[in-house]
Amino acid sequence: MLCENLIRNKWLAGAFPALLLHICVGTVYCWSLLESSISFYMKGADVSWAFSLTIFFLGISAAIMGPFVERVSYIGSILFSIGMLGSGWSCYNNSILGIYLFYGVIMGIGTGLIYTVPIKTLALWFKNRKGLYTGLAITGFGLAKFIGTPIMINLIDSVGISNMFIILGFSCLGIMLLSSWLLQKPKGGDGINHSEITNIFDLVKDLKDSLKLPGFILLWIIFYINITCGLSIISSEKEFFLLSQNKIIGVSLGVALSGTMNALGRLEAANFSDRLNGNRHYLWHIILLLSLVGIVISLMSNNLFWATVFIINIGYGAGFSIQPSLLSDLYGNEELSRNHGIILSAWAFAGLTGNQLTKYILDIGGNYRGVISVIGILYFISLIHLNV
């Protein structure tokens, strides 16, 4: 009886394992720390597409599978760990195709399968705090950089990047399987439709139904632009901190703190949104305005790039955390899983355009100030459309 009561506790069966799962898979956002080390083994090959593929398959698998399939965190945990282990093997064997496959495709799918399960589970445990549960569920994605950065750097310096992937792969597998076992739904229904997709026609029908909802396409576009801009910064955080030349905030501390800002943006925006029940959409105005302020700060001086990275991370995280509760307000709980899944497809396509936007601007002779300027224009376009 005591064991059952513990397992059914909302913190032990909900918040704690949800955070652990997201902290593990959120380490994919440490890419800027890994890219140069991976490139060393790939003999000049373009490794940036590995991160693009990760985010693309993350978004696609979360959009298609996550909202409709129960208990996929076990499968996701195994796939994510295979991706880690395979990335280590690929670095050791100088295989760029291996990095694309393991870090990009397999790790991306594993992350996507895990992403939505804690959100759905915490929705049941924290019914009266819709914003708070989404913040708790995905704060781990931001915390992952804060926790993972020093661990990854120390492992790379001591055992090399190949062994770093191997050690983290096995470590994450144990943590994630335990967390998947602990993660339990409370007894009783929640009013959310959990029906599974049975064929491609169901998926197409769901897509059409969501796109007919008033304002849904606009919400998708704004979400897509916010992620694209965020990924443009996140994928090059290391370079932005180097350019800042801040003696107090170095590269490793900067990347770790940016993860903290990401996590704070997710948690605080979600928590604050509960006070705006019925008016959560105003948070998008705040997010976009805050991001534009961050852009203006960096255009004043390269030495302020660090502040822009922090601010963009806050808005990036906040955009994710308010989506489920906002969709619930606008379109109801009955099809929340369907609508949230389709919205997450914006994450997938932003994965293909985010860090590639930065790379393209640099390839045509631009610099990081040019990247900041383009991102600022995109934020401004989003803000205009939000007020139309």
Side-chain angles (χ1 to χ4, degrees):
M1 180 64 71
L2 177 60
C3 181
E4 183 178 352
N5 289 337
L6 285 174
I7 292 176
R8 291 296 176 181
N9 178 276
K10 65 181 179 181
W11 298 106
L12 186 60
F16 179 67
L19 274 174
L20 285 180
L21 283 169
H22 276 205
I23 286 172
C24 286
V25 297
T27 54
V28 298
Y29 279 149
C30 294
W31 173 255
S32 67
L33 292 173
L34 306 178
E35 185 173 7
S36 59
S37 297
I38 295 174
S39 296
F40 176 79
Y41 289 91
M42 299 305 153
K43 301 177 180 178
D46 184 3
V47 301
S48 67
W49 277 104
F51 184 66
S52 297
L53 289 170
T54 302
I55 304 302
F56 175 77
F57 282 98
L58 190 170
I60 287 295
S61 57
I64 296 176
M65 297 290 291
F68 305 100
V69 181
E70 299 293 337
R71 305 302 293 170
V72 294
S73 59
Y74 284 110
I75 301 173
S77 300
I78 294 171
L79 289 176
F80 180 84
S81 299
I82 289 174
M84 276 276 190
L85 297 172
S87 296
W89 175 88
S90 300
C91 289
Y92 184 79
N93 289 278
N94 310 113
S95 173
I96 184 62
L97 292 180
I99 286 293
Y100 289 161
L101 173 63
F102 289 106
Y103 194 97
V105 179
I106 296 177
M107 194 182 297
I109 293 174
T111 304
L113 292 182
I114 289 170
Y115 183 81
T116 56
V117 175
I119 294 176
K120 289 168 62 177
T121 303
L122 291 188
L124 311 184
W125 285 111
F126 298 90
K127 292 181 181 179
N128 297 326
R129 299 296 302 277
K130 291 188 295 185
L132 179 60
Y133 81 67
T134 57
L136 284 171
I138 61 179
T139 294
F141 251 74
L143 287 176
K145 282 198 293 182
F146 179 77
I147 297 172
T149 295
I151 294 174
M152 286 184 169
I153 290 177
N154 288 330
L155 285 175
I156 291 173
D157 291 342
S158 59
V159 299
I161 191 165
S162 297
N163 290 325
M164 182 275 293
F165 276 123
I166 301 297
I167 293 171
L168 286 186
F170 283 116
S171 300
C172 287
L173 179 61
I175 294 171
M176 293 163 72
L177 289 179
L178 174 61
S179 299
S180 298
W181 177 76
L182 287 173
L183 195 67
Q184 301 285 334
K185 294 187 296 183
K187 296 178 181 179
D190 61 345
I192 298 177
N193 184 357
H194 295 295
S195 58
E196 295 186 9
I197 290 178
T198 56
N199 55 60
I200 190 64
F201 299 106
D202 291 338
L203 179 60
V204 173
K205 180 181 181 300
D206 283 345
L207 178 61
K208 288 181 178 179
D209 289 341
S210 290
L211 294 180
K212 291 177 182 177
L213 296 171
F216 190 89
I217 294 178
L218 177 61
L219 193 61
W220 190 97
I221 292 173
I222 291 172
F223 192 45
Y224 163 76
I225 292 178
N226 191 58
I227 300 172
T228 294
C229 294
L231 289 175
S232 297
I233 298 293
I234 290 171
S235 63
S236 300
E237 282 180 338
K238 181 178 178 180
E239 286 72 22
F240 279 110
F241 286 117
L242 285 172
L243 289 170
S244 294
Q245 297 181 341
N246 190 302
K247 295 180 180 179
I248 299 176
I249 304 176
V251 174
S252 58
L253 178 60
V255 173
L257 289 177
S258 73
T260 305
M261 299 301 166
N262 193 316
L264 286 174
R266 294 169 189 264
L267 185 59
E268 290 305 317
N271 189 30
F272 182 67
S273 72
D274 282 330
R275 305 175 189 176
L276 299 174
N277 194 10
N279 295 293
R280 298 178 205 267
H281 59 282
Y282 287 124
L283 276 172
W284 268 119
H285 293 80
I286 298 173
I287 290 169
L288 296 174
L289 281 171
L290 180 66
S291 300
L292 279 172
V293 169
I295 295 298
V296 172
I297 288 174
S298 65
L299 291 177
M300 293 169 59
S301 171
N302 287 0
N303 294 333
L304 296 174
F305 274 158
W306 63 270
T308 299
V309 172
F310 288 169
I311 293 173
I312 297 299
N313 265 279
I314 291 173
Y316 181 83
F320 277 98
S321 68
I322 66 172
Q323 285 299 87
S325 53
L326 177 58
L327 291 169
S328 176
D329 283 350
L330 294 175
Y331 311 117
N333 269 349
E334 185 177 353
E335 297 297 342
L336 175 59
S337 292
R338 181 196 74 189
N339 293 330
H340 188 214
I342 293 172
I343 281 288
L344 286 177
S345 67
W347 196 3
F349 292 102
L352 297 179
T353 55
N355 66 317
Q356 294 303 320
L357 174 63
T358 298
K359 184 176 181 299
Y360 174 75
I361 293 172
L362 297 177
D363 285 347
I364 63 175
N367 54 30
Y368 285 100
R369 288 180 66 83
V371 173
I372 292 291
S373 299
V374 171
I375 291 172
I377 293 171
L378 292 175
Y379 279 131
F380 185 68
I381 292 173
S382 295
L383 190 60
I384 291 176
H385 279 80
L386 191 61
N387 289 285
V388 171

